[in-house]
Amino acid sequence: MSATFSVNGVEKVATATNIADLLRDENVDPAARFLAVAINGAVVPRSQWEGAAINPGDVIEIVSPAPGG
């Protein structure tokens, strides 16, 4: 089943059901250092990514440092 939600300001349709799945779908290494994820403005601790459900209409922000600062 697919859902529509926003990832970093872009509407996406995906089958991901939790943050860990979404990161893999977005080709983001969930083990990367200094990576943060928020759902609807609330930061989700890395230890909860496997269980943090993504629901239709959610606004998700994936933040990681850019090379060169």
Side-chain angles (χ1 to χ4, degrees):
M1 177 158 125
S2 62
T4 303
F5 41 81
S6 171
V7 178
N8 292 351
V10 177
E11 287 293 314
K12 301 259 183 170
V13 176
T15 58
T17 58
N18 61 47
I19 291 174
D21 290 342
L22 177 64
L23 291 173
R24 286 187 281 273
D25 288 354
E26 293 291 312
N27 294 317
V28 175
D29 180 4
R33 293 184 63 187
F34 309 114
L35 183 64
V37 180
I39 298 178
N40 301 322
V43 174
V44 180
R46 185 181 298 257
S47 63
Q48 297 176 12
W49 288 356
E50 287 289 337
I54 296 172
N55 299 298
D58 279 347
V59 176
I60 301 160
E61 295 292 327
I62 302 170
V63 181
S64 60

